[in-house]
Amino acid sequence: MKTPERAAFDALPHPTIVVVGGGFAGLELIKRLSGKPFKVILLDKNNYHCFQPLLYQVATGSLGADNIAHPFRRTVGPMPNVIFRMAEVLRIDALNNQVHTDHGSFTYDHLVLATGTVTNFFGNQRIAREAMQLKSINQALDIRSDFLQEFEAAIYLEDEHAQRQRLNFVIVGGGPSGVELAGALAEIRKTILKHEYREVESQRMQIHLVDSGNEVLGNFSPKSRAAALKFLHELGVHVKLNMLVTDYDGDTVTFKDGSTMPSTTVIWTAGVKGAPVPGLEPALEERPARLRTDAFNRVEGTANIYALGDLALDRSDPLWPKGHPQVAPAAIQQAAHLALNLLRKPGEQWVPFKYRDKGSMATIGRYKAVVDLGRLKFGGPIAWFLWLFVHLMSIVGFRSRVMVLTHWAWKYLSWKNTIRLIIRPYVRKVDMVGGESGG
Ligand SMILES: Cc1cc2nc3c(=O)[nH]c(=O)nc-3n(C[C@H](O)[C@H](O)[C@H](O)COP(=O)(O)OP(=O)(O)OC[C@H]3O[C@@H](n4cnc5c(N)ncnc54)[C@H](O)[C@@H]3O)c2cc1C
């Protein structure tokens, strides 16, 4: 029997919008449509929204997983015209206006796809199998367990080479995620490894940041790129530019020039590709796996299907001929804009989307951040405080905000990352210390 709330939802005389994906775009859209004349069904394979920009802090033990995740049900609870279903969408049947999921099918009048991206290994299957990723909370927790397990394992090793191999961390990709992760690991060496793993010579831990291009933070201004490089050097990160990783077998990284490097931990942040749901292949741009849309976010060749955020490729804006950047503000702005268009009266002209670039920022370590804000480019402590403030205010949920502030206050006053627990060990295929291992 239906609850009165469910019966009231079903009885709403409004068109149904199915929103697939509750990331930055999906969440913004449902907020904008809350209380409006639509029946909204949010589908996501997880039951929480993940604040991806702070994943690296979960990976390095500064924040807990629940600090950057917010349950969808807490968001939709007070929204009478919005319901949430935890379901993975497997296929779209555009002909019959249906999405098929692992929990049955849903019929829509409008479909909005906001499934984001997955890590792009550019077809290298072995690297995909062996390297670690930083796209989800599970993966961030794997990295946290992994580096702590490596520290624990290194203590048992007598042989210097074996110890160095375990403590050689290779991060592939010099974008914001790679830079932030490298900086955070370098700070862990300085604080945690040095003081709490006293039996290990801390300098045996090396952090290598590898990029196939000739700079880090390629999308930032030259001034910020130079400042980031300087900060990385100050923290003792080895930045290896113009180095293309061609293989990784779990023990050794191989580069295009034939050189190799021993490492049991490679973290791949070198690229993403769209996570489209099968069924709309004619609109799929193969290389970045994004769905082509027009300026109204409508998927090419469809009348009532829209794509938002990282998944969408809108080349109609002359300022962004290759599509909008795959960043949170673009996803949020597109969702807010689509909501406005969907709410227009019948016959009213839809307005094309225009992206407002609000700038970029990345943090490399304590007091070390870079910010590009229009003509204003700066780095150092002010940039770092601005980064902290912007990220704190962007986190979904008051509780999470308070928790993050508390963790940061503790970390930056005590010089210690707070969460250094191996709760869910990272399982390696073959453990070099003890053979087959669960860590
Ligand atoms: C480590 C990292 C750091 C980043 N740092 C920054 C930063 O500092 N600043 C910035 O602006 N951007 C940053 N980004 C990029 C930013 O997170 C993305 O641009 C943004 O998340 C895109 O929002 P979205 O809504 O398109 O997709 P997402 O936020 O990725 O959301 C996609 C949602 O779809 C769900 N989903 C996927 N497939 C299915 C399916 N088949 N069925 C059901 N549900 C599905 C997922 O569970 C997820 O909830 C970072 C990204 C990463 C990975």
Side-chain angles (χ1 to χ4, degrees), residues 20-26 43-46 52-53 55 87-89 114-117 134-135 177 277 308-311 326-329 331 391:
V20 185
F24 285 96
L43 304 176
D44 200 294
K45 59 187 177 185
N46 296 316
Q52 293 180 26
L55 272 175
E88 179 162 7
V89 177
T115 47
T117 52
L134 186 62
K135 271 297 292 173
S177 304
V277 179
L308 299 175
D310 281 6
L311 177 68
Q326 289 169 297
V327 292
H391 283 75

PDB file of all heavy atoms in Angstrom, residues 20-26 43-46 52-53 55 87-89 114-117 134-135 177 277 308-311 326-329 331 391, ligand 1:
ATOM      1  N   VAL A  20      19.085  11.497 -14.328  1.00  0.00           N
ATOM      2  CA  VAL A  20      20.027  10.399 -14.074  1.00  0.00           C
ATOM      3  C   VAL A  20      21.357  10.994 -13.621  1.00  0.00           C
ATOM      4  O   VAL A  20      22.047  11.650 -14.395  1.00  0.00           O
ATOM      5  CB  VAL A  20      20.236   9.527 -15.328  1.00  0.00           C
ATOM      6  CG1 VAL A  20      21.130   8.332 -14.981  1.00  0.00           C
ATOM      7  CG2 VAL A  20      18.906   9.061 -15.889  1.00  0.00           C
ATOM      8  N   GLY A  21      21.713  10.757 -12.357  1.00  0.00           N
ATOM      9  CA  GLY A  21      22.967  11.265 -11.818  1.00  0.00           C
ATOM     10  C   GLY A  21      22.743  12.448 -10.903  1.00  0.00           C
ATOM     11  O   GLY A  21      22.210  13.479 -11.319  1.00  0.00           O
ATOM     12  N   GLY A  22      23.138  12.288  -9.644  1.00  0.00           N
ATOM     13  CA  GLY A  22      22.978  13.354  -8.658  1.00  0.00           C
ATOM     14  C   GLY A  22      24.309  14.001  -8.308  1.00  0.00           C
ATOM     15  O   GLY A  22      24.621  14.234  -7.135  1.00  0.00           O
ATOM     16  N   GLY A  23      25.114  14.268  -9.326  1.00  0.00           N
ATOM     17  CA  GLY A  23      26.361  15.014  -9.109  1.00  0.00           C
ATOM     18  C   GLY A  23      26.032  16.500  -9.016  1.00  0.00           C
ATOM     19  O   GLY A  23      24.918  16.890  -8.656  1.00  0.00           O
ATOM     20  N   PHE A  24      27.006  17.325  -9.388  1.00  0.00           N
ATOM     21  CA  PHE A  24      26.784  18.772  -9.283  1.00  0.00           C
ATOM     22  C   PHE A  24      25.609  19.220 -10.150  1.00  0.00           C
ATOM     23  O   PHE A  24      24.788  20.035  -9.730  1.00  0.00           O
ATOM     24  CB  PHE A  24      28.053  19.522  -9.695  1.00  0.00           C
ATOM     25  CG  PHE A  24      29.123  19.473  -8.652  1.00  0.00           C
ATOM     26  CD1 PHE A  24      30.137  18.538  -8.713  1.00  0.00           C
ATOM     27  CD2 PHE A  24      29.102  20.350  -7.581  1.00  0.00           C
ATOM     28  CE1 PHE A  24      31.118  18.476  -7.744  1.00  0.00           C
ATOM     29  CE2 PHE A  24      30.071  20.310  -6.599  1.00  0.00           C
ATOM     30  CZ  PHE A  24      31.091  19.366  -6.679  1.00  0.00           C
ATOM     31  N   ALA A  25      25.518  18.652 -11.377  1.00  0.00           N
ATOM     32  CA  ALA A  25      24.456  19.075 -12.294  1.00  0.00           C
ATOM     33  C   ALA A  25      23.100  18.557 -11.823  1.00  0.00           C
ATOM     34  O   ALA A  25      22.145  19.336 -11.684  1.00  0.00           O
ATOM     35  CB  ALA A  25      24.768  18.576 -13.703  1.00  0.00           C
ATOM     36  N   GLY A  26      23.009  17.251 -11.574  1.00  0.00           N
ATOM     37  CA  GLY A  26      21.724  16.651 -11.198  1.00  0.00           C
ATOM     38  C   GLY A  26      21.164  17.254  -9.923  1.00  0.00           C
ATOM     39  O   GLY A  26      19.968  17.554  -9.823  1.00  0.00           O
ATOM     40  N   LEU A  43      17.581   9.464 -10.179  1.00  0.00           N
ATOM     41  CA  LEU A  43      18.169   8.120 -10.137  1.00  0.00           C
ATOM     42  C   LEU A  43      19.681   8.260  -9.981  1.00  0.00           C
ATOM     43  O   LEU A  43      20.309   9.045 -10.711  1.00  0.00           O
ATOM     44  CB  LEU A  43      17.882   7.363 -11.433  1.00  0.00           C
ATOM     45  CG  LEU A  43      16.420   7.214 -11.866  1.00  0.00           C
ATOM     46  CD1 LEU A  43      16.342   6.528 -13.230  1.00  0.00           C
ATOM     47  CD2 LEU A  43      15.643   6.409 -10.826  1.00  0.00           C
ATOM     48  N   ASP A  44      20.253   7.518  -9.064  1.00  0.00           N
ATOM     49  CA  ASP A  44      21.713   7.486  -8.960  1.00  0.00           C
ATOM     50  C   ASP A  44      22.113   6.109  -8.456  1.00  0.00           C
ATOM     51  O   ASP A  44      21.420   5.509  -7.635  1.00  0.00           O
ATOM     52  CB  ASP A  44      22.241   8.572  -8.005  1.00  0.00           C
ATOM     53  CG  ASP A  44      23.724   8.881  -8.262  1.00  0.00           C
ATOM     54  OD1 ASP A  44      24.573   7.983  -8.018  1.00  0.00           O
ATOM     55  OD2 ASP A  44      24.031  10.010  -8.709  1.00  0.00           O
ATOM     56  N   LYS A  45      23.266   5.642  -8.935  1.00  0.00           N
ATOM     57  CA  LYS A  45      23.718   4.309  -8.497  1.00  0.00           C
ATOM     58  C   LYS A  45      24.200   4.337  -7.047  1.00  0.00           C
ATOM     59  O   LYS A  45      24.252   3.290  -6.398  1.00  0.00           O
ATOM     60  CB  LYS A  45      24.796   3.768  -9.433  1.00  0.00           C
ATOM     61  CG  LYS A  45      26.020   4.633  -9.537  1.00  0.00           C
ATOM     62  CD  LYS A  45      26.957   4.098 -10.605  1.00  0.00           C
ATOM     63  CE  LYS A  45      28.148   5.026 -10.738  1.00  0.00           C
ATOM     64  NZ  LYS A  45      29.046   4.684 -11.796  1.00  0.00           N
ATOM     65  N   ASN A  46      24.562   5.512  -6.552  1.00  0.00           N
ATOM     66  CA  ASN A  46      24.908   5.660  -5.133  1.00  0.00           C
ATOM     67  C   ASN A  46      23.756   6.350  -4.408  1.00  0.00           C
ATOM     68  O   ASN A  46      22.928   6.996  -5.048  1.00  0.00           O
ATOM     69  CB  ASN A  46      26.170   6.514  -4.968  1.00  0.00           C
ATOM     70  CG  ASN A  46      27.382   5.854  -5.590  1.00  0.00           C
ATOM     71  OD1 ASN A  46      27.593   4.655  -5.423  1.00  0.00           O
ATOM     72  ND2 ASN A  46      28.176   6.609  -6.321  1.00  0.00           N
ATOM     73  N   GLN A  52      33.460  15.835  -5.296  1.00  0.00           N
ATOM     74  CA  GLN A  52      34.723  15.310  -5.851  1.00  0.00           C
ATOM     75  C   GLN A  52      35.956  16.192  -5.619  1.00  0.00           C
ATOM     76  O   GLN A  52      37.055  15.672  -5.459  1.00  0.00           O
ATOM     77  CB  GLN A  52      34.556  15.030  -7.344  1.00  0.00           C
ATOM     78  CG  GLN A  52      33.601  13.899  -7.623  1.00  0.00           C
ATOM     79  CD  GLN A  52      33.430  13.630  -9.118  1.00  0.00           C
ATOM     80  OE1 GLN A  52      34.303  13.911  -9.930  1.00  0.00           O
ATOM     81  NE2 GLN A  52      32.286  13.089  -9.477  1.00  0.00           N
ATOM     82  N   PRO A  53      35.826  17.532  -5.624  1.00  0.00           N
ATOM     83  CA  PRO A  53      37.048  18.335  -5.439  1.00  0.00           C
ATOM     84  C   PRO A  53      37.813  18.028  -4.146  1.00  0.00           C
ATOM     85  O   PRO A  53      39.007  18.314  -4.070  1.00  0.00           O
ATOM     86  CB  PRO A  53      36.512  19.779  -5.442  1.00  0.00           C
ATOM     87  CG  PRO A  53      35.308  19.715  -6.334  1.00  0.00           C
ATOM     88  CD  PRO A  53      34.687  18.376  -6.025  1.00  0.00           C
ATOM     89  N   LEU A  55      38.023  14.870  -2.848  1.00  0.00           N
ATOM     90  CA  LEU A  55      38.334  13.434  -2.780  1.00  0.00           C
ATOM     91  C   LEU A  55      39.787  13.207  -2.342  1.00  0.00           C
ATOM     92  O   LEU A  55      40.081  12.283  -1.593  1.00  0.00           O
ATOM     93  CB  LEU A  55      38.135  12.791  -4.156  1.00  0.00           C
ATOM     94  CG  LEU A  55      36.736  12.273  -4.492  1.00  0.00           C
ATOM     95  CD1 LEU A  55      36.700  11.793  -5.936  1.00  0.00           C
ATOM     96  CD2 LEU A  55      36.318  11.156  -3.546  1.00  0.00           C
ATOM     97  N   ALA A  87      19.448   3.459  -8.176  1.00  0.00           N
ATOM     98  CA  ALA A  87      19.392   2.532  -9.307  1.00  0.00           C
ATOM     99  C   ALA A  87      20.468   2.910 -10.312  1.00  0.00           C
ATOM    100  O   ALA A  87      20.767   4.095 -10.498  1.00  0.00           O
ATOM    101  CB  ALA A  87      18.023   2.629  -9.992  1.00  0.00           C
ATOM    102  N   GLU A  88      21.057   1.919 -10.916  1.00  0.00           N
ATOM    103  CA  GLU A  88      22.019   2.181 -11.986  1.00  0.00           C
ATOM    104  C   GLU A  88      21.279   2.104 -13.314  1.00  0.00           C
ATOM    105  O   GLU A  88      20.650   1.088 -13.633  1.00  0.00           O
ATOM    106  CB  GLU A  88      23.149   1.150 -11.954  1.00  0.00           C
ATOM    107  CG  GLU A  88      24.129   1.393 -13.079  1.00  0.00           C
ATOM    108  CD  GLU A  88      25.464   0.712 -12.865  1.00  0.00           C
ATOM    109  OE1 GLU A  88      25.586  -0.062 -11.900  1.00  0.00           O
ATOM    110  OE2 GLU A  88      26.371   0.960 -13.672  1.00  0.00           O
ATOM    111  N   VAL A  89      21.354   3.172 -14.071  1.00  0.00           N
ATOM    112  CA  VAL A  89      20.664   3.184 -15.359  1.00  0.00           C
ATOM    113  C   VAL A  89      21.518   2.421 -16.369  1.00  0.00           C
ATOM    114  O   VAL A  89      22.708   2.693 -16.533  1.00  0.00           O
ATOM    115  CB  VAL A  89      20.399   4.632 -15.824  1.00  0.00           C
ATOM    116  CG1 VAL A  89      19.758   4.642 -17.198  1.00  0.00           C
ATOM    117  CG2 VAL A  89      19.484   5.319 -14.819  1.00  0.00           C
ATOM    118  N   ALA A 114      23.003  13.241 -16.475  1.00  0.00           N
ATOM    119  CA  ALA A 114      24.108  13.965 -15.823  1.00  0.00           C
ATOM    120  C   ALA A 114      24.987  12.940 -15.111  1.00  0.00           C
ATOM    121  O   ALA A 114      25.203  12.998 -13.907  1.00  0.00           O
ATOM    122  CB  ALA A 114      23.551  14.989 -14.835  1.00  0.00           C
ATOM    123  N   THR A 115      25.495  11.979 -15.903  1.00  0.00           N
ATOM    124  CA  THR A 115      26.223  10.848 -15.310  1.00  0.00           C
ATOM    125  C   THR A 115      27.721  11.107 -15.174  1.00  0.00           C
ATOM    126  O   THR A 115      28.457  10.224 -14.726  1.00  0.00           O
ATOM    127  CB  THR A 115      26.000   9.571 -16.145  1.00  0.00           C
ATOM    128  OG1 THR A 115      26.201   9.896 -17.531  1.00  0.00           O
ATOM    129  CG2 THR A 115      24.593   9.032 -15.967  1.00  0.00           C
ATOM    130  N   GLY A 116      28.188  12.273 -15.569  1.00  0.00           N
ATOM    131  CA  GLY A 116      29.586  12.640 -15.317  1.00  0.00           C
ATOM    132  C   GLY A 116      30.578  11.841 -16.144  1.00  0.00           C
ATOM    133  O   GLY A 116      30.326  11.514 -17.306  1.00  0.00           O
ATOM    134  N   THR A 117      31.714  11.535 -15.512  1.00  0.00           N
ATOM    135  CA  THR A 117      32.828  10.899 -16.240  1.00  0.00           C
ATOM    136  C   THR A 117      33.381   9.710 -15.469  1.00  0.00           C
ATOM    137  O   THR A 117      33.085   9.521 -14.288  1.00  0.00           O
ATOM    138  CB  THR A 117      33.991  11.903 -16.423  1.00  0.00           C
ATOM    139  OG1 THR A 117      34.315  12.447 -15.142  1.00  0.00           O
ATOM    140  CG2 THR A 117      33.647  13.008 -17.389  1.00  0.00           C
ATOM    141  N   LEU A 134      41.178   8.093  -8.737  1.00  0.00           N
ATOM    142  CA  LEU A 134      40.621   9.030  -7.766  1.00  0.00           C
ATOM    143  C   LEU A 134      39.364   9.672  -8.348  1.00  0.00           C
ATOM    144  O   LEU A 134      39.337  10.863  -8.669  1.00  0.00           O
ATOM    145  CB  LEU A 134      41.666  10.103  -7.411  1.00  0.00           C
ATOM    146  CG  LEU A 134      41.297  11.077  -6.289  1.00  0.00           C
ATOM    147  CD1 LEU A 134      41.086  10.359  -4.972  1.00  0.00           C
ATOM    148  CD2 LEU A 134      42.367  12.147  -6.126  1.00  0.00           C
ATOM    149  N   LYS A 135      38.320   8.860  -8.506  1.00  0.00           N
ATOM    150  CA  LYS A 135      37.068   9.378  -9.068  1.00  0.00           C
ATOM    151  C   LYS A 135      35.880   9.131  -8.145  1.00  0.00           C
ATOM    152  O   LYS A 135      34.801   9.644  -8.385  1.00  0.00           O
ATOM    153  CB  LYS A 135      36.786   8.680 -10.409  1.00  0.00           C
ATOM    154  CG  LYS A 135      37.375   9.323 -11.628  1.00  0.00           C
ATOM    155  CD  LYS A 135      36.836  10.708 -11.904  1.00  0.00           C
ATOM    156  CE  LYS A 135      35.384  10.700 -12.315  1.00  0.00           C
ATOM    157  NZ  LYS A 135      34.829  12.056 -12.429  1.00  0.00           N
ATOM    158  N   SER A 177      43.942  17.615  -9.877  1.00  0.00           N
ATOM    159  CA  SER A 177      43.853  16.441  -8.980  1.00  0.00           C
ATOM    160  C   SER A 177      45.229  15.882  -8.676  1.00  0.00           C
ATOM    161  O   SER A 177      45.548  15.577  -7.520  1.00  0.00           O
ATOM    162  CB  SER A 177      43.011  15.327  -9.613  1.00  0.00           C
ATOM    163  OG  SER A 177      41.753  15.789  -9.939  1.00  0.00           O
ATOM    164  N   VAL A 277      25.159   6.596 -20.914  1.00  0.00           N
ATOM    165  CA  VAL A 277      24.358   5.384 -20.789  1.00  0.00           C
ATOM    166  C   VAL A 277      24.038   4.907 -22.211  1.00  0.00           C
ATOM    167  O   VAL A 277      23.690   5.732 -23.060  1.00  0.00           O
ATOM    168  CB  VAL A 277      23.058   5.695 -20.013  1.00  0.00           C
ATOM    169  CG1 VAL A 277      22.197   4.456 -19.881  1.00  0.00           C
ATOM    170  CG2 VAL A 277      23.383   6.286 -18.644  1.00  0.00           C
ATOM    171  N   LEU A 308      23.836  17.204 -19.237  1.00  0.00           N
ATOM    172  CA  LEU A 308      24.424  18.303 -18.451  1.00  0.00           C
ATOM    173  C   LEU A 308      25.790  17.909 -17.910  1.00  0.00           C
ATOM    174  O   LEU A 308      26.086  16.719 -17.751  1.00  0.00           O
ATOM    175  CB  LEU A 308      23.527  18.632 -17.256  1.00  0.00           C
ATOM    176  CG  LEU A 308      22.101  19.106 -17.510  1.00  0.00           C
ATOM    177  CD1 LEU A 308      21.368  19.240 -16.172  1.00  0.00           C
ATOM    178  CD2 LEU A 308      22.099  20.436 -18.259  1.00  0.00           C
ATOM    179  N   GLY A 309      26.569  18.911 -17.575  1.00  0.00           N
ATOM    180  CA  GLY A 309      27.810  18.689 -16.841  1.00  0.00           C
ATOM    181  C   GLY A 309      28.893  18.036 -17.684  1.00  0.00           C
ATOM    182  O   GLY A 309      28.969  18.225 -18.901  1.00  0.00           O
ATOM    183  N   ASP A 310      29.718  17.247 -17.005  1.00  0.00           N
ATOM    184  CA  ASP A 310      30.892  16.637 -17.652  1.00  0.00           C
ATOM    185  C   ASP A 310      30.520  15.790 -18.862  1.00  0.00           C
ATOM    186  O   ASP A 310      31.330  15.607 -19.776  1.00  0.00           O
ATOM    187  CB  ASP A 310      31.609  15.730 -16.645  1.00  0.00           C
ATOM    188  CG  ASP A 310      32.470  16.511 -15.669  1.00  0.00           C
ATOM    189  OD1 ASP A 310      32.419  17.754 -15.708  1.00  0.00           O
ATOM    190  OD2 ASP A 310      33.187  15.876 -14.868  1.00  0.00           O
ATOM    191  N   LEU A 311      29.315  15.243 -18.860  1.00  0.00           N
ATOM    192  CA  LEU A 311      28.895  14.348 -19.943  1.00  0.00           C
ATOM    193  C   LEU A 311      28.569  15.104 -21.222  1.00  0.00           C
ATOM    194  O   LEU A 311      28.670  14.557 -22.323  1.00  0.00           O
ATOM    195  CB  LEU A 311      27.646  13.571 -19.467  1.00  0.00           C
ATOM    196  CG  LEU A 311      26.996  12.630 -20.462  1.00  0.00           C
ATOM    197  CD1 LEU A 311      27.920  11.442 -20.741  1.00  0.00           C
ATOM    198  CD2 LEU A 311      25.662  12.121 -19.929  1.00  0.00           C
ATOM    199  N   GLN A 326      35.201  20.688 -18.028  1.00  0.00           N
ATOM    200  CA  GLN A 326      34.549  19.685 -17.170  1.00  0.00           C
ATOM    201  C   GLN A 326      34.843  20.020 -15.705  1.00  0.00           C
ATOM    202  O   GLN A 326      35.669  19.377 -15.054  1.00  0.00           O
ATOM    203  CB  GLN A 326      35.014  18.288 -17.567  1.00  0.00           C
ATOM    204  CG  GLN A 326      34.427  17.889 -18.922  1.00  0.00           C
ATOM    205  CD  GLN A 326      35.048  16.647 -19.496  1.00  0.00           C
ATOM    206  OE1 GLN A 326      36.246  16.640 -19.782  1.00  0.00           O
ATOM    207  NE2 GLN A 326      34.280  15.613 -19.690  1.00  0.00           N
ATOM    208  N   VAL A 327      34.156  21.056 -15.242  1.00  0.00           N
ATOM    209  CA  VAL A 327      34.322  21.518 -13.858  1.00  0.00           C
ATOM    210  C   VAL A 327      32.946  21.736 -13.240  1.00  0.00           C
ATOM    211  O   VAL A 327      31.944  21.887 -13.944  1.00  0.00           O
ATOM    212  CB  VAL A 327      35.151  22.833 -13.786  1.00  0.00           C
ATOM    213  CG1 VAL A 327      36.598  22.600 -14.173  1.00  0.00           C
ATOM    214  CG2 VAL A 327      34.530  23.921 -14.651  1.00  0.00           C
ATOM    215  N   ALA A 328      32.943  21.777 -11.909  1.00  0.00           N
ATOM    216  CA  ALA A 328      31.678  21.874 -11.181  1.00  0.00           C
ATOM    217  C   ALA A 328      30.868  23.122 -11.567  1.00  0.00           C
ATOM    218  O   ALA A 328      29.649  23.023 -11.786  1.00  0.00           O
ATOM    219  CB  ALA A 328      31.951  21.837  -9.678  1.00  0.00           C
ATOM    220  N   PRO A 329      31.482  24.316 -11.673  1.00  0.00           N
ATOM    221  CA  PRO A 329      30.653  25.492 -12.001  1.00  0.00           C
ATOM    222  C   PRO A 329      29.929  25.354 -13.338  1.00  0.00           C
ATOM    223  O   PRO A 329      28.786  25.806 -13.473  1.00  0.00           O
ATOM    224  CB  PRO A 329      31.669  26.642 -12.046  1.00  0.00           C
ATOM    225  CG  PRO A 329      32.794  26.189 -11.185  1.00  0.00           C
ATOM    226  CD  PRO A 329      32.872  24.714 -11.357  1.00  0.00           C
ATOM    227  N   ALA A 331      28.825  22.557 -14.687  1.00  0.00           N
ATOM    228  CA  ALA A 331      27.706  21.625 -14.461  1.00  0.00           C
ATOM    229  C   ALA A 331      26.558  22.343 -13.737  1.00  0.00           C
ATOM    230  O   ALA A 331      25.387  22.214 -14.119  1.00  0.00           O
ATOM    231  CB  ALA A 331      28.196  20.434 -13.636  1.00  0.00           C
ATOM    232  N   HIS A 391      35.896  26.199  -1.028  1.00  0.00           N
ATOM    233  CA  HIS A 391      35.546  24.777  -0.954  1.00  0.00           C
ATOM    234  C   HIS A 391      34.644  24.487   0.234  1.00  0.00           C
ATOM    235  O   HIS A 391      33.705  23.693   0.143  1.00  0.00           O
ATOM    236  CB  HIS A 391      36.806  23.912  -0.942  1.00  0.00           C
ATOM    237  CG  HIS A 391      37.417  23.791  -2.309  1.00  0.00           C
ATOM    238  ND1 HIS A 391      38.128  24.811  -2.886  1.00  0.00           N
ATOM    239  CD2 HIS A 391      37.346  22.805  -3.239  1.00  0.00           C
ATOM    240  CE1 HIS A 391      38.498  24.441  -4.103  1.00  0.00           C
ATOM    241  NE2 HIS A 391      38.037  23.234  -4.335  1.00  0.00           N
TER     242      HIS A 391
HETATM  243  C1  LIG B   1      39.513  14.271  -7.961  1.00  0.00           C
HETATM  244  C2  LIG B   1      38.699  15.353  -8.627  1.00  0.00           C
HETATM  245  C3  LIG B   1      38.908  16.677  -8.279  1.00  0.00           C
HETATM  246  C4  LIG B   1      38.161  17.686  -8.878  1.00  0.00           C
HETATM  247  N1  LIG B   1      38.386  18.985  -8.491  1.00  0.00           N
HETATM  248  C5  LIG B   1      37.610  19.960  -9.007  1.00  0.00           C
HETATM  249  C6  LIG B   1      37.757  21.307  -8.545  1.00  0.00           C
HETATM  250  O1  LIG B   1      38.606  21.605  -7.701  1.00  0.00           O
HETATM  251  N2  LIG B   1      36.927  22.255  -9.083  1.00  0.00           N
HETATM  252  C7  LIG B   1      35.991  21.937 -10.035  1.00  0.00           C
HETATM  253  O2  LIG B   1      35.235  22.814 -10.459  1.00  0.00           O
HETATM  254  N3  LIG B   1      35.842  20.698 -10.487  1.00  0.00           N
HETATM  255  C8  LIG B   1      36.615  19.689 -10.002  1.00  0.00           C
HETATM  256  N4  LIG B   1      36.463  18.401 -10.445  1.00  0.00           N
HETATM  257  C9  LIG B   1      35.513  18.138 -11.530  1.00  0.00           C
HETATM  258  C10 LIG B   1      34.088  18.115 -11.007  1.00  0.00           C
HETATM  259  O3  LIG B   1      33.996  17.243  -9.919  1.00  0.00           O
HETATM  260  C11 LIG B   1      33.175  17.689 -12.136  1.00  0.00           C
HETATM  261  O4  LIG B   1      33.282  18.640 -13.174  1.00  0.00           O
HETATM  262  C12 LIG B   1      31.729  17.604 -11.662  1.00  0.00           C
HETATM  263  O5  LIG B   1      31.611  16.598 -10.679  1.00  0.00           O
HETATM  264  C13 LIG B   1      30.797  17.289 -12.834  1.00  0.00           C
HETATM  265  O6  LIG B   1      29.497  17.203 -12.352  1.00  0.00           O
HETATM  266  P1  LIG B   1      28.453  16.232 -13.051  1.00  0.00           P
HETATM  267  O7  LIG B   1      27.142  16.483 -12.365  1.00  0.00           O
HETATM  268  O8  LIG B   1      28.517  16.364 -14.511  1.00  0.00           O
HETATM  269  O9  LIG B   1      28.965  14.740 -12.730  1.00  0.00           O
HETATM  270  P2  LIG B   1      29.334  14.053 -11.349  1.00  0.00           P
HETATM  271  O10 LIG B   1      29.498  15.035 -10.265  1.00  0.00           O
HETATM  272  O11 LIG B   1      30.482  13.158 -11.676  1.00  0.00           O
HETATM  273  O12 LIG B   1      28.056  13.169 -11.008  1.00  0.00           O
HETATM  274  C14 LIG B   1      27.678  12.065 -11.771  1.00  0.00           C
HETATM  275  C15 LIG B   1      26.669  11.268 -10.966  1.00  0.00           C
HETATM  276  O13 LIG B   1      26.082  10.296 -11.828  1.00  0.00           O
HETATM  277  C16 LIG B   1      25.984   9.056 -11.156  1.00  0.00           C
HETATM  278  N5  LIG B   1      25.979   8.025 -12.201  1.00  0.00           N
HETATM  279  C17 LIG B   1      26.921   7.798 -13.141  1.00  0.00           C
HETATM  280  N6  LIG B   1      26.525   6.827 -13.974  1.00  0.00           N
HETATM  281  C18 LIG B   1      25.305   6.425 -13.555  1.00  0.00           C
HETATM  282  C19 LIG B   1      24.364   5.453 -14.025  1.00  0.00           C
HETATM  283  N7  LIG B   1      24.592   4.707 -15.119  1.00  0.00           N
HETATM  284  N8  LIG B   1      23.211   5.294 -13.342  1.00  0.00           N
HETATM  285  C20 LIG B   1      22.946   6.046 -12.243  1.00  0.00           C
HETATM  286  N9  LIG B   1      23.784   6.989 -11.764  1.00  0.00           N
HETATM  287  C21 LIG B   1      24.947   7.183 -12.427  1.00  0.00           C
HETATM  288  C22 LIG B   1      27.194   9.029 -10.249  1.00  0.00           C
HETATM  289  O14 LIG B   1      27.000   8.146  -9.167  1.00  0.00           O
HETATM  290  C23 LIG B   1      27.300  10.487  -9.812  1.00  0.00           C
HETATM  291  O15 LIG B   1      26.555  10.730  -8.634  1.00  0.00           O
HETATM  292  C24 LIG B   1      37.189  17.364  -9.851  1.00  0.00           C
HETATM  293  C25 LIG B   1      36.985  16.032 -10.203  1.00  0.00           C
HETATM  294  C26 LIG B   1      37.721  15.032  -9.595  1.00  0.00           C
HETATM  295  C27 LIG B   1      37.479  13.582  -9.969  1.00  0.00           C
END
